[in-house]
Amino acid sequence: MWHFLVENGKCCLLGIYDVNDRKEPPQENGIIQTTQDQHSSISPPSSTVSGAPDDEPFSTYFEEKVPIPEDVTQMFSLRKLWAFTGPGFLMSIAYLDPGNIESDLQSGAKAGFKLLWVLLGATIIGLLLQRLAARLGVVTGMHLAEVCNRQYPTVPRIILWLMVELAIIGSDMQEVIGCAIAFNLLSVGRIPLWGGVLITIIDTFVFLFLDKYGLRKLEAFFGFLITIMAVSFGYEYVMVRPDQGELLKGMFLPHCEGCGPAQMEQAVGIVGAVIMPHNIYLHSALVKSRSIDRGNKKEVKEANKYYFIESTIALFISFLINVFVVAVFAEAFYEKTNIEVNAMCNASDSPHTDLFPLDNSRLQVDIYKGGVVLGCFFGPVALYIWAIGILAAGQSSTMTGTYSGQFVMEGFLNLRWSRFARVLLTRSIAIFPTLLVAVFQDVQHLTGMNDFLNVLQSMQLPFALIPILTFTSLTSIMNDFANGLVWKIGGGVVILVVCAINMHFVVVYVTSLSSVALYVLAGFLCIAYLCFVGYLVWHCLIALGVSCLDVSCLASRVSNNRPSVFIEEQPEYDT
């Protein structure tokens, strides 16, 4: 809720008051006193609510809390690490979705090993951002969407929800279509794209209810899917035998000799594919599944430590799997031409020879063509193993995308629906456009749509990165675990760089449309987009300590320089 001071016919904004708080701001001589930082402190949601004794007030998904073993004698305990293991691996699946796999194979085919250092850097940046997300969930007991619900006014909150939903829909379309392509390859074209989408819809509904048999079993199932990806793409890596020296050089020596616009655009695409907005919301919710006494500072600190270790291990494994894919296509298909691939497919009696025209242009690959060329060069076994890996990637990321949709909708809109109703709605929102694309689009011509979906997700990045930096920097929310100066500056720079890189990707895509009408439409959308991003940045800068932007300071001058005194009491930790 916005609060204003009216004096001498002029209206001045005093600040924002959280409508979810039951307390009213105190008044003095008819003038409302506001918080110094315009954000209310929050406490973790209680485990019960009136009328729903088994549900939490916001997210009701995890009915089971994994207990943490007591081990006071050791600074590091493998038993405790095992208890905390799970959320990080579910989060890491977003780094292995079909969009990332396609970005990897295109990177290898276009630039060889030269962009591996970009993949490494993007993964490290992703780890730092996931750390912020996990800390928010651990310290507050609420995930990012719930905190946004409490801290932003109604209109910005709804806009933010819509933007995040768009990102989830775009990601989900890529993931479901990745599964459909895998079914098409495994069935040698007998299952059409729309048939694969329908199969994915059905089996996703089935798998989503696995947690009914225990949260740890669900996490084990995701671990099994990651293992399938590691074995499948690892098999391709061993079979191709890439040059290890070139691989290490490309990974640890930042360079790109002889790179042109295509390679630079691919480097931008790697960053956009790795860092996904909905994954920030997802990870902040997943960490709530452990039994932690958030009133005990020692337990909260310990949970942050083990979650960071687990996330590091999970993202290291996902990085290795991504490296497998890049190295396979860098070694086998870098600088290959269509006519060379056509000849190999003819020699191997592949039914997909017509995918590669008889010209000397560079080979252009996507997930579908990538499997085909592997089959042409290394035999049908390589094609089928590739398809199995893509199926595991698509299926696992589709399930985590659905979880993201549920958490986001529950948090922003404060829904209290049955599990089946929530799954049905969030699944339908993403599946309907995917099914339309599958019906009217041919399986061999999906690259253009993937480019559009990557741009869509790139545009949504600020709507996850800015709020997470804002709220983790506020002591009224994070208490003793708020970001220090180094994290505030470093986080701000990282988010600025990531958003700038992705905006460049958006500009490159829009300028390639070659349509005046689309330019005009894009112009209007950009104005609205930048205004809303500016609003979020304004709040973020105040949280980072740029007090001159805090309008409540200006309001205090108007009201005879009276200082602001409405500061909510901070919860104290047990020692």
Side-chain angles (χ1 to χ4, degrees):
M1 182 181 297
W2 298 94
H3 290 296
F4 298 91
L5 170 69
V6 180
E7 188 175 80
N8 297 327
K10 295 183 180 180
C11 182
C12 178
L13 173 67
L14 287 178
I16 301 171
Y17 180 69
D18 185 9
V19 295
N20 292 304
D21 281 337
R22 298 301 181 200
K23 295 189 291 184
E24 293 292 333
Q27 300 186 22
E28 182 177 285
N29 298 327
I31 298 176
I32 296 175
Q33 304 301 309
T34 62
T35 58
Q36 286 183 339
D37 58 10
Q38 300 185 4
H39 291 272
S40 64
S41 64
I42 56 178
S43 57
S46 59
S47 59
T48 61
V49 244
S50 178
D54 295 325
D55 290 341
E56 292 183 345
F58 285 89
S59 179
T60 58
Y61 192 76
F62 291 113
E63 298 175 356
E64 174 188 355
K65 297 286 186 180
V66 176
I68 306 301
E70 291 290 338
D71 195 349
V72 296
T73 60
Q74 299 182 24
M75 293 185 62
F76 177 80
S77 167
L78 288 176
R79 291 177 63 239
K80 284 192 175 182
L81 179 60
W82 177 249
F84 281 104
T85 297
F89 282 88
L90 268 69
M91 168 273 295
S92 72
I93 286 172
Y95 292 73
L96 296 168
D97 72 339
N100 275 286
I101 301 301
E102 181 163 288
S103 174
D104 293 337
L105 64 90
Q106 289 176 345
S107 171
K110 290 180 180 180
F113 299 99
K114 298 174 186 176
L115 297 180
L116 276 174
W117 63 274
V118 177
L119 177 62
L120 176 61
T123 304
I124 293 174
I125 291 174
L127 174 63
L128 299 179
L129 295 173
Q130 299 298 161
R131 174 186 180 271
L132 295 181
R135 285 171 69 87
L136 180 71
V138 169
V139 174
T140 67
M142 296 187 291
H143 57 73
L144 180 56
E146 293 172 342
V147 178
C148 289
N149 175 279
R150 294 194 173 197
Q151 299 298 329
Y152 286 126
T154 302
V155 173
R157 183 170 70 241
I158 296 300
I159 296 174
L160 199 58
W161 168 63
L162 292 174
M163 294 298 100
V164 178
E165 285 289 353
L166 278 177
I168 293 173
I169 290 172
S171 173
D172 212 39
M173 289 178 70
Q174 289 179 310
E175 292 155 1
V176 173
I177 289 175
C179 285
I181 289 175
F183 283 122
N184 185 273
L185 288 172
L186 288 170
S187 65
V188 198
R190 293 185 180 90
I191 300 178
L193 191 62
W194 60 266
V197 170
L198 291 177
I199 294 173
T200 304
I201 295 171
I202 295 170
D203 62 26
T204 298
F205 270 109
V206 174
F207 290 144
L208 282 173
F209 289 92
L210 284 177
D211 69 331
K212 186 177 181 180
Y213 302 99
L215 185 58
R216 296 298 271 175
K217 292 183 177 65
L218 177 70
E219 292 172 347
F221 178 71
F222 279 102
F224 172 69
L225 293 177
I226 294 174
T227 303
I228 290 177
M229 285 184 268
V231 172
S232 299
F233 300 132
Y235 170 83
E236 310 281 2
Y237 180 86
V238 171
M239 186 170 52
V240 173
R241 297 180 183 177
D243 187 324
Q244 301 301 305
E246 288 297 315
L247 186 148
L248 293 175
K249 177 182 176 183
M251 188 181 300
F252 297 110
L253 183 62
H255 74 292
C256 196
E257 298 174 6
C259 291
Q263 287 75 21
M264 293 296 102
E265 184 177 338
Q266 187 60 45
V268 172
I270 291 173
V271 178
V274 167
I275 302 173
M276 305 181 72
H278 69 273
N279 208 34
I280 304 294
Y281 288 87
L282 174 67
H283 197 197
S284 65
L286 293 173
V287 296
K288 294 171 58 178
S289 59
R290 268 50 183 176
S291 181
I292 302 168
D293 180 6
R294 291 181 175 83
N296 188 318
K297 184 176 179 179
K298 180 181 178 181
E299 283 195 27
V300 173
K301 186 176 181 180
E302 183 180 69
N304 285 330
K305 177 182 73 174
Y306 282 108
Y307 273 134
F308 182 68
I309 295 172
E310 185 235 2
S311 297
T312 303
I313 296 171
L315 289 188
F316 175 72
I317 293 173
S318 72
F319 173 71
L320 288 182
I321 295 174
N322 282 310
V323 168
F324 289 162
V325 178
V326 174
V328 165
F329 283 82
E331 182 70 27
F333 307 114
Y334 176 51
E335 295 187 330
K336 283 286 192 301
T337 61
N338 282 319
I339 195 169
E340 290 177 293
V341 176
N342 186 289
M344 286 296 297
C345 288
N346 263 326
S348 61
D349 295 325
S350 170
H352 305 289
T353 305
D354 58 330
L355 289 176
F356 310 101
L358 292 169
D359 57 41
N360 285 315
S361 59
R362 290 285 178 86
L363 174 66
Q364 299 292 326
V365 288
D366 50 32
I367 290 178
Y368 182 74
K369 290 182 180 178
V372 170
V373 295
L374 284 171
C376 292
F377 278 73
F378 301 103
V381 173
L383 185 151
Y384 292 130
I385 291 179
W386 169 262
I388 291 171
I390 294 298
L391 180 60
Q395 188 63 72
S396 57
S397 54
T398 299
M399 292 168 64
T400 55
T402 303
Y403 289 139
S404 300
Q406 290 178 238
F407 292 136
V408 165
M409 186 170 287
E410 290 170 0
F412 276 110
L413 304 184
N414 195 15
L415 294 181
R416 288 177 174 83
W417 291 2
S418 68
R419 174 179 302 191
F420 180 79
R422 293 196 310 267
V423 172
L424 182 62
L425 178 61
T426 53
R427 189 81 243 143
S428 300
I429 288 175
I431 287 298
F432 182 70
T434 307
L435 193 58
L436 288 179
V437 170
V439 171
F440 295 105
Q441 183 71 279
D442 192 283
V443 69
Q444 290 98 338
H445 302 89
L446 292 172
T447 302
M449 189 202 67
N450 275 326
D451 290 341
F452 169 75
L453 293 176
N454 285 333
V455 168
L456 178 67
Q457 293 175 79
S458 297
M459 293 185 67
Q460 312 312 316
L461 266 176
F463 306 127
L465 303 189
I466 296 175
I468 195 65
L469 180 62
T470 300
F471 299 134
T472 54
S473 298
L474 287 168
T475 54
S476 59
I477 292 176
M478 298 292 289
N479 300 293
D480 294 342
F481 295 95
N483 294 331
L485 182 62
V486 174
W487 271 98
K488 288 180 180 179
I489 296 175
V493 171
V494 165
I495 290 173
L496 179 64
V497 170
V498 170
C499 290
I501 288 174
N502 283 277
M503 287 304 102
H504 171 76
F505 187 39
V506 172
V507 170
V508 169
Y509 179 81
V510 171
T511 53
S512 67
L513 297 176
S514 303
S515 171
V516 175
L518 290 176
Y519 287 157
V520 173
L521 177 62
F524 281 113
L525 292 177
C526 281
I527 292 173
Y529 175 84
L530 291 175
C531 286
F532 186 57
V533 171
Y535 170 85
L536 297 177
V537 169
W538 170 56
H539 278 273
C540 185
L541 290 174
I542 293 173
L544 294 176
V546 186
S547 58
C548 61
L549 297 177
D550 190 346
V551 294
S552 62
C553 296
L554 301 177
S556 65
R557 296 179 185 177
V558 175
S559 56
N560 299 321
N561 295 320
R562 187 186 292 109
S564 173
V565 297
F566 178 52
I567 304 175
E568 295 193 35
E569 182 180 355
Q570 303 298 321
E572 295 183 356
Y573 290 109
D574 297 332
T575 55

